[in-house]
Amino acid sequence: MNTSVPDILPPENYLQIIEETAIMISDPVKKLQFLNHVINNYHKIPSLYKYYRPMKDAIFRKIILYEAEHINPEISNNARELLRQRFTSDSHHALWKMYKRRHIIISIITAFLLFCIAMSMSSLIEIINAASIKNIKSLDKNTVTLPLNQSIPQNKHSADSLPKTTLRYGEYISRQFPNYLNKQIWLVEKTSDREIYSNRLQIITSYTVENIPRRYYRFSKNTSQLPAKDQITNKVTGILFHSSESDISPFKPEMNKSIKEKSMLLIRYIMRTKSYHYFIDRFGRVYRLVKDDHAAFHAGNSVWADDESFYLNLNSAFIGICFEGKDFEKVGKTVYDTNSHLKTANISVKSTLSINEVQLTAGKELTDWLRVKFKIPQCNCVPHGLASVNPYNMLIGYHLDLTYGFPFNRFELNDKYQNSLPSITEFGFSYDNYFVRIFKGRLWPGIHYSEEQLRQKAKNLNMSLHCYRKHLQRRFTNFFKWQKKQEHLLNS
């Protein structure tokens, strides 16, 4: 009886991989089917291959992918990426383990041959990469390194040829204004504590505070040259949507007092920290908290882009609109994340959006007025979580508000969850397993599309994906450090 367990279960490291893949399956019945099929099929691997680690890993990976796709096709891409990372990370341990004991002579010969092939391939790749970089730099010696603004050729339809209602996977397509926004929205009445506009928008102004003047640099997409020091602007370029992620009470009549108290506490906190330009409480009331011509500390480290420019200082470039709501919940103890080297709360996205109907109506009216007033293109109206980054470990999703469920159609905006992320395609950012776990493996389509764009661009330049990504990251670091230095000089 004591020897039955090893015969039933695969090795511990394989069990961990099976468990990580199973987490992506939300249906408990399908998850159980997946576990049973994978564990049973493990014993069908020929015994000879079990002595040869690379072959065993390859067969085991195919078993997991086949079962995952057969039971739940939606997770196949995520499972494939997980397995690629797990098996690639420890593949260098496999060579010295193959053909143990009686196969030692064959192992030595095989290892020698593989070493010769690897050295040859490594030298060839270095030569190709060096030649490709040399060719790229020769395109424009005064400006840039890589033609990063090129889009991937489309086989059937380009993004511009698609109807507006079915636009998917666009790369910062700037459909400027719907027809209704060509009409003027004007101030109807102004009192000591509020403004009323012709589209029914009402803004409470009695809590407005001042902050630092709005000023920032825009980085051109057509060159890698840094902006001239006199090319500073105060133009409002976009809108960043936020969720407060604060504690909220159930939206019921008997909780009316608690709802109002929490909203007022949050308003006072925002006034003190100068976190957002506008705040929309749970009754749909719109408050202006930081003046339009001043920056607000709402974006943190963020990256966005339109057809012409990169924006790294979204505090000044964008207006921040915050909806009172909470769309993530803590599901476990605080854990230490080895990738970010930070203690992070184990959180998970909720199944439904916490922003209610009256908030969405008020948000639409406010967005329309701001877009008309500042001529803001739709491509620069984006949820905060899609632009937020950690510039120190080059990961996306440092803040996660509205990374799920934002109703773009209600605001007559293109679905940014379907579009590529500038942080990935232009600067080589990535994501880790913690990020995948938060969304239970269901990442929005634009992330996968961005990764595919990155691979395609690297292929077109005859570069390895790793080399190309590192180049983009160095480019970002150059921009980021320069910007921080100029901001310090401006504010000193």
Side-chain angles (χ1 to χ4, degrees):
M1 295 299 292
N2 293 335
T3 60
S4 62
V5 174
D7 293 334
I8 296 175
L9 297 178
E12 182 64 24
N13 61 324
Y14 281 11
L15 290 176
Q16 293 176 2
I17 298 174
I18 294 172
E19 182 180 1
E20 290 178 16
T21 308
I23 290 175
M24 303 178 188
I25 304 175
S26 57
D27 190 325
V29 176
K30 292 183 177 180
K31 182 181 296 186
L32 183 59
Q33 291 177 352
F34 169 78
L35 293 172
N36 289 335
H37 290 177
V38 171
I39 292 175
N40 290 335
N41 285 330
Y42 169 78
H43 298 287
K44 296 180 181 180
I45 299 177
S47 57
L48 176 62
Y49 292 153
K50 292 184 180 181
Y51 291 100
Y52 184 28
R53 175 68 178 278
M55 183 65 73
K56 182 175 67 172
D57 284 354
I59 295 175
F60 181 65
R61 177 167 52 182
K62 288 183 179 180
I63 290 174
I64 292 183
L65 285 175
Y66 173 80
E67 296 299 339
E69 188 168 2
H70 178 70
I71 292 175
N72 193 346
E74 296 178 357
I75 72 163
S76 59
N77 289 336
N78 296 327
R80 186 174 288 105
E81 180 63 18
L82 170 65
L83 293 173
R84 185 191 67 78
Q85 293 176 0
R86 290 302 304 269
F87 283 115
T88 302
S89 64
D90 54 79
S91 61
H92 61 283
H93 293 294
L95 294 177
W96 64 272
K97 289 185 177 180
M98 65 184 181
Y99 288 105
K100 293 180 181 179
R101 298 184 179 90
R102 65 182 184 274
H103 299 293
I104 187 66
I105 298 177
I106 298 177
S107 299
I108 293 174
I109 296 174
T110 305
F112 177 74
L113 292 175
L114 291 175
F115 175 78
C116 293
I117 294 172
M119 291 300 294
S120 300
M121 291 300 296
S122 176
S123 300
L124 180 60
I125 290 172
E126 289 181 2
I127 293 173
I128 293 174
N129 285 345
S132 63
I133 293 175
K134 181 178 179 181
N135 291 335
I136 292 165
K137 290 183 176 179
S138 66
L139 294 176
D140 191 343
K141 294 181 180 179
N142 296 325
T143 57
V144 264
T145 59
L146 297 176
L148 299 177
N149 57 335
Q150 292 180 355
S151 59
I152 296 177
Q154 303 294 323
N155 295 329
K156 295 183 179 180
H157 302 286
S158 66
D160 285 329
S161 68
L162 295 175
K164 187 186 302 183
T165 55
T166 60
L167 183 65
R168 288 173 60 87
Y169 300 145
E171 190 176 10
Y172 333 127
I173 304 302
S174 58
R175 306 281 187 182
Q176 297 289 331
F177 298 98
N179 291 332
Y180 74 91
L181 285 182
N182 292 328
K183 297 181 180 180
Q184 185 179 5
I185 299 176
W186 66 90
L187 179 64
V188 175
E189 182 180 335
K190 183 174 182 178
T191 64
S192 60
D193 65 345
R194 71 186 58 227
E195 297 171 356
I196 302 175
Y197 291 87
S198 58
N199 68 336
R200 202 178 61 172
L201 170 66
Q202 294 192 36
I203 301 176
I204 300 172
T205 59
S206 53
Y207 298 93
T208 306
V209 297
E210 295 184 345
N211 199 16
I212 58 176
R214 181 187 297 277
R215 50 189 180 181
Y216 65 98
Y217 292 94
R218 285 188 286 193
F219 297 82
S220 174
K221 289 185 69 175
N222 300 318
T223 177
S224 280
Q225 286 184 333
L226 296 170
K229 293 183 180 180
D230 60 348
Q231 291 180 332
I232 195 167
T233 180
N234 61 357
K235 176 180 172 58
V236 175
T237 308
I239 298 173
L240 209 59
F241 300 105
H242 302 261
S243 174
S244 65
E245 293 303 317
S246 54
D247 291 334
I248 58 176
S249 300
F251 199 65
K252 297 178 180 179
E254 58 268 26
M255 302 301 296
N256 190 59
K257 181 178 179 181
S258 175
I259 294 171
K260 291 195 297 182
E261 287 178 349
K262 289 184 176 180
S263 295
M264 188 50 59
L265 287 173
L266 190 53
I267 288 172
R268 290 171 181 166
Y269 173 79
I270 296 171
M271 290 173 62
R272 186 170 67 254
T273 58
K274 302 173 183 178
S275 304
Y276 307 104
H277 292 93
Y278 292 91
F279 173 74
I280 303 176
D281 72 8
R282 302 182 71 200
F283 299 111
R285 293 177 295 193
V286 179
Y287 297 82
R288 179 184 293 128
L289 299 181
V290 175
K291 295 175 62 175
D292 287 352
D293 58 348
H294 285 200
F297 305 127
H298 64 102
N301 292 311
S302 301
V303 174
W304 198 249
D306 54 29
D307 295 336
E308 299 177 354
S309 303
F310 300 120
Y311 304 97
L312 305 186
N313 181 358
L314 272 60
N315 285 337
S316 287
F318 283 43
I319 278 183
I321 298 177
C322 179
F323 296 90
E324 185 177 8
K326 186 177 181 65
D327 296 310
F328 289 86
E329 58 186 349
K330 189 173 181 181
V331 294
K333 296 181 179 180
T334 298
V335 296
Y336 184 82
D337 186 73
T338 56
N339 290 312
S340 62
H341 303 290
L342 293 172
K343 287 185 177 180
T344 52
N346 195 7
I347 60 174
S348 178
V349 63
K350 292 183 177 180
S351 58
T352 57
L353 190 68
S354 63
I355 303 173
N356 61 40
E357 284 294 316
V358 291
Q359 287 178 294
L360 292 175
T361 299
K364 173 67 162 55
E365 294 167 355
L366 176 60
T367 300
D368 289 349
W369 173 67
L370 289 172
R371 290 188 63 192
V372 169
K373 179 180 179 181
F374 295 108
K375 305 300 180 186
I376 299 173
Q378 76 80 26
C379 61
N380 286 345
C381 300
V382 58
H384 181 212
L386 274 63
S388 178
V389 300
N390 186 333
Y392 304 105
N393 58 14
M394 302 302 294
L395 296 177
I396 64 172
Y398 185 73
H399 293 281
L400 295 170
D401 43 325
L402 299 182
T403 46
Y404 171 83
F406 186 78
F408 290 98
N409 60 319
R410 287 286 300 270
F411 289 72
E412 299 192 45
L413 301 170
N414 289 347
D415 186 349
K416 302 302 186 299
Y417 299 131
Q418 308 293 334
N419 291 2
S420 56
L421 293 184
S423 55
I424 296 178
T425 59
E426 308 294 347
F427 296 121
F429 278 76
S430 185
Y431 56 91
D432 58 7
N433 290 333
Y434 177 70
F435 182 83
V436 175
R437 188 167 65 248
I438 289 172
F439 294 95
K440 302 174 183 177
R442 298 190 294 270
L443 305 183
W444 61 89
I447 293 180
H448 302 302
Y449 178 63
S450 301
E451 291 288 335
E452 181 58 35
Q453 277 188 304
L454 211 61
R455 284 189 287 270
Q456 185 63 48
K457 288 181 180 180
K459 181 179 178 181
N460 292 343
L461 295 167
N462 293 321
M463 297 179 68
S464 68
L465 178 60
H466 176 77
C467 181
Y468 182 58
R469 191 188 292 272
K470 288 298 182 183
H471 166 78
L472 296 182
Q473 292 177 355
R474 287 193 296 269
R475 182 189 186 194
F476 170 81
T477 301
N478 185 36
F479 286 171
F480 179 73
K481 289 182 177 179
W482 182 88
Q483 176 195 261
K484 289 297 182 183
K485 180 179 179 181
Q486 298 308 313
E487 288 178 358
H488 177 73
L489 294 175
L490 287 173
N491 297 324
S492 61

PDB file of all heavy atoms in Angstrom, residues 366-379:
ATOM      1  N   LEU A 366     -20.464  63.855 -18.918  1.00  0.00           N
ATOM      2  CA  LEU A 366     -19.206  64.534 -18.611  1.00  0.00           C
ATOM      3  C   LEU A 366     -18.167  64.269 -19.708  1.00  0.00           C
ATOM      4  O   LEU A 366     -17.457  65.195 -20.145  1.00  0.00           O
ATOM      5  CB  LEU A 366     -18.679  64.051 -17.261  1.00  0.00           C
ATOM      6  CG  LEU A 366     -17.316  64.586 -16.827  1.00  0.00           C
ATOM      7  CD1 LEU A 366     -17.321  66.106 -16.726  1.00  0.00           C
ATOM      8  CD2 LEU A 366     -16.888  63.956 -15.494  1.00  0.00           C
ATOM      9  N   THR A 367     -18.076  63.023 -20.165  1.00  0.00           N
ATOM     10  CA  THR A 367     -17.124  62.680 -21.216  1.00  0.00           C
ATOM     11  C   THR A 367     -17.415  63.430 -22.504  1.00  0.00           C
ATOM     12  O   THR A 367     -16.504  63.960 -23.162  1.00  0.00           O
ATOM     13  CB  THR A 367     -17.138  61.157 -21.472  1.00  0.00           C
ATOM     14  OG1 THR A 367     -16.769  60.470 -20.271  1.00  0.00           O
ATOM     15  CG2 THR A 367     -16.184  60.772 -22.586  1.00  0.00           C
ATOM     16  N   ASP A 368     -18.692  63.498 -22.894  1.00  0.00           N
ATOM     17  CA  ASP A 368     -19.066  64.224 -24.114  1.00  0.00           C
ATOM     18  C   ASP A 368     -18.646  65.689 -24.027  1.00  0.00           C
ATOM     19  O   ASP A 368     -18.082  66.245 -24.979  1.00  0.00           O
ATOM     20  CB  ASP A 368     -20.579  64.148 -24.330  1.00  0.00           C
ATOM     21  CG  ASP A 368     -21.031  62.758 -24.750  1.00  0.00           C
ATOM     22  OD1 ASP A 368     -20.161  61.924 -25.072  1.00  0.00           O
ATOM     23  OD2 ASP A 368     -22.247  62.506 -24.749  1.00  0.00           O
ATOM     24  N   TRP A 369     -18.927  66.328 -22.891  1.00  0.00           N
ATOM     25  CA  TRP A 369     -18.585  67.748 -22.740  1.00  0.00           C
ATOM     26  C   TRP A 369     -17.073  67.961 -22.788  1.00  0.00           C
ATOM     27  O   TRP A 369     -16.580  68.884 -23.454  1.00  0.00           O
ATOM     28  CB  TRP A 369     -19.154  68.274 -21.421  1.00  0.00           C
ATOM     29  CG  TRP A 369     -18.701  69.671 -21.100  1.00  0.00           C
ATOM     30  CD1 TRP A 369     -19.027  70.819 -21.771  1.00  0.00           C
ATOM     31  CD2 TRP A 369     -17.814  70.052 -20.048  1.00  0.00           C
ATOM     32  NE1 TRP A 369     -18.395  71.897 -21.195  1.00  0.00           N
ATOM     33  CE2 TRP A 369     -17.650  71.452 -20.136  1.00  0.00           C
ATOM     34  CE3 TRP A 369     -17.157  69.363 -19.036  1.00  0.00           C
ATOM     35  CZ2 TRP A 369     -16.851  72.163 -19.243  1.00  0.00           C
ATOM     36  CZ3 TRP A 369     -16.367  70.060 -18.155  1.00  0.00           C
ATOM     37  CH2 TRP A 369     -16.216  71.439 -18.267  1.00  0.00           C
ATOM     38  N   LEU A 370     -16.311  67.109 -22.108  1.00  0.00           N
ATOM     39  CA  LEU A 370     -14.850  67.252 -22.114  1.00  0.00           C
ATOM     40  C   LEU A 370     -14.277  67.015 -23.504  1.00  0.00           C
ATOM     41  O   LEU A 370     -13.345  67.712 -23.937  1.00  0.00           O
ATOM     42  CB  LEU A 370     -14.226  66.268 -21.123  1.00  0.00           C
ATOM     43  CG  LEU A 370     -14.441  66.576 -19.638  1.00  0.00           C
ATOM     44  CD1 LEU A 370     -13.936  65.418 -18.776  1.00  0.00           C
ATOM     45  CD2 LEU A 370     -13.734  67.864 -19.238  1.00  0.00           C
ATOM     46  N   ARG A 371     -14.823  66.043 -24.235  1.00  0.00           N
ATOM     47  CA  ARG A 371     -14.317  65.768 -25.572  1.00  0.00           C
ATOM     48  C   ARG A 371     -14.579  66.936 -26.520  1.00  0.00           C
ATOM     49  O   ARG A 371     -13.731  67.269 -27.361  1.00  0.00           O
ATOM     50  CB  ARG A 371     -14.943  64.481 -26.128  1.00  0.00           C
ATOM     51  CG  ARG A 371     -14.459  63.217 -25.438  1.00  0.00           C
ATOM     52  CD  ARG A 371     -14.955  61.980 -26.163  1.00  0.00           C
ATOM     53  NE  ARG A 371     -14.398  61.928 -27.520  1.00  0.00           N
ATOM     54  CZ  ARG A 371     -14.816  61.094 -28.459  1.00  0.00           C
ATOM     55  NH1 ARG A 371     -15.806  60.245 -28.197  1.00  0.00           N
ATOM     56  NH2 ARG A 371     -14.269  61.102 -29.651  1.00  0.00           N
ATOM     57  N   VAL A 372     -15.750  67.556 -26.383  1.00  0.00           N
ATOM     58  CA  VAL A 372     -16.057  68.729 -27.212  1.00  0.00           C
ATOM     59  C   VAL A 372     -15.181  69.911 -26.804  1.00  0.00           C
ATOM     60  O   VAL A 372     -14.609  70.609 -27.651  1.00  0.00           O
ATOM     61  CB  VAL A 372     -17.555  69.092 -27.093  1.00  0.00           C
ATOM     62  CG1 VAL A 372     -17.824  70.450 -27.726  1.00  0.00           C
ATOM     63  CG2 VAL A 372     -18.404  68.023 -27.756  1.00  0.00           C
ATOM     64  N   LYS A 373     -15.041  70.134 -25.508  1.00  0.00           N
ATOM     65  CA  LYS A 373     -14.297  71.295 -25.017  1.00  0.00           C
ATOM     66  C   LYS A 373     -12.826  71.223 -25.409  1.00  0.00           C
ATOM     67  O   LYS A 373     -12.244  72.229 -25.843  1.00  0.00           O
ATOM     68  CB  LYS A 373     -14.429  71.363 -23.495  1.00  0.00           C
ATOM     69  CG  LYS A 373     -13.671  72.532 -22.862  1.00  0.00           C
ATOM     70  CD  LYS A 373     -13.848  72.548 -21.345  1.00  0.00           C
ATOM     71  CE  LYS A 373     -13.057  73.707 -20.724  1.00  0.00           C
ATOM     72  NZ  LYS A 373     -13.210  73.724 -19.243  1.00  0.00           N
ATOM     73  N   PHE A 374     -12.207  70.040 -25.264  1.00  0.00           N
ATOM     74  CA  PHE A 374     -10.759  69.923 -25.481  1.00  0.00           C
ATOM     75  C   PHE A 374     -10.403  69.184 -26.775  1.00  0.00           C
ATOM     76  O   PHE A 374      -9.220  68.918 -27.021  1.00  0.00           O
ATOM     77  CB  PHE A 374     -10.121  69.205 -24.292  1.00  0.00           C
ATOM     78  CG  PHE A 374     -10.212  69.956 -23.001  1.00  0.00           C
ATOM     79  CD1 PHE A 374     -11.064  69.527 -21.989  1.00  0.00           C
ATOM     80  CD2 PHE A 374      -9.459  71.098 -22.791  1.00  0.00           C
ATOM     81  CE1 PHE A 374     -11.145  70.220 -20.784  1.00  0.00           C
ATOM     82  CE2 PHE A 374      -9.537  71.797 -21.594  1.00  0.00           C
ATOM     83  CZ  PHE A 374     -10.383  71.364 -20.587  1.00  0.00           C
ATOM     84  N   LYS A 375     -11.410  68.841 -27.596  1.00  0.00           N
ATOM     85  CA  LYS A 375     -11.171  68.138 -28.865  1.00  0.00           C
ATOM     86  C   LYS A 375     -10.378  66.841 -28.629  1.00  0.00           C
ATOM     87  O   LYS A 375      -9.345  66.585 -29.245  1.00  0.00           O
ATOM     88  CB  LYS A 375     -10.420  69.029 -29.855  1.00  0.00           C
ATOM     89  CG  LYS A 375     -11.090  70.362 -30.115  1.00  0.00           C
ATOM     90  CD  LYS A 375     -12.492  70.174 -30.686  1.00  0.00           C
ATOM     91  CE  LYS A 375     -13.164  71.515 -30.952  1.00  0.00           C
ATOM     92  NZ  LYS A 375     -14.579  71.347 -31.368  1.00  0.00           N
ATOM     93  N   ILE A 376     -10.881  66.014 -27.740  1.00  0.00           N
ATOM     94  CA  ILE A 376     -10.188  64.780 -27.352  1.00  0.00           C
ATOM     95  C   ILE A 376     -10.606  63.641 -28.271  1.00  0.00           C
ATOM     96  O   ILE A 376     -11.802  63.330 -28.379  1.00  0.00           O
ATOM     97  CB  ILE A 376     -10.508  64.419 -25.890  1.00  0.00           C
ATOM     98  CG1 ILE A 376     -10.028  65.531 -24.954  1.00  0.00           C
ATOM     99  CG2 ILE A 376      -9.876  63.087 -25.507  1.00  0.00           C
ATOM    100  CD1 ILE A 376     -10.440  65.335 -23.510  1.00  0.00           C
ATOM    101  N   PRO A 377      -9.670  62.985 -28.956  1.00  0.00           N
ATOM    102  CA  PRO A 377     -10.026  61.847 -29.818  1.00  0.00           C
ATOM    103  C   PRO A 377     -10.403  60.632 -28.982  1.00  0.00           C
ATOM    104  O   PRO A 377      -9.942  60.470 -27.857  1.00  0.00           O
ATOM    105  CB  PRO A 377      -8.742  61.594 -30.613  1.00  0.00           C
ATOM    106  CG  PRO A 377      -7.648  62.097 -29.730  1.00  0.00           C
ATOM    107  CD  PRO A 377      -8.219  63.266 -28.977  1.00  0.00           C
ATOM    108  N   GLN A 378     -11.221  59.756 -29.557  1.00  0.00           N
ATOM    109  CA  GLN A 378     -11.702  58.603 -28.799  1.00  0.00           C
ATOM    110  C   GLN A 378     -10.568  57.647 -28.412  1.00  0.00           C
ATOM    111  O   GLN A 378     -10.650  56.960 -27.407  1.00  0.00           O
ATOM    112  CB  GLN A 378     -12.786  57.870 -29.585  1.00  0.00           C
ATOM    113  CG  GLN A 378     -12.315  57.021 -30.740  1.00  0.00           C
ATOM    114  CD  GLN A 378     -11.788  55.680 -30.320  1.00  0.00           C
ATOM    115  OE1 GLN A 378     -12.166  55.149 -29.278  1.00  0.00           O
ATOM    116  NE2 GLN A 378     -10.879  55.132 -31.113  1.00  0.00           N
ATOM    117  N   CYS A 379      -9.504  57.603 -29.216  1.00  0.00           N
ATOM    118  CA  CYS A 379      -8.421  56.665 -28.905  1.00  0.00           C
ATOM    119  C   CYS A 379      -7.710  57.032 -27.613  1.00  0.00           C
ATOM    120  O   CYS A 379      -7.017  56.198 -27.030  1.00  0.00           O
ATOM    121  CB  CYS A 379      -7.416  56.625 -30.054  1.00  0.00           C
ATOM    122  SG  CYS A 379      -6.605  58.195 -30.395  1.00  0.00           S
TER     123      CYS A 379
END
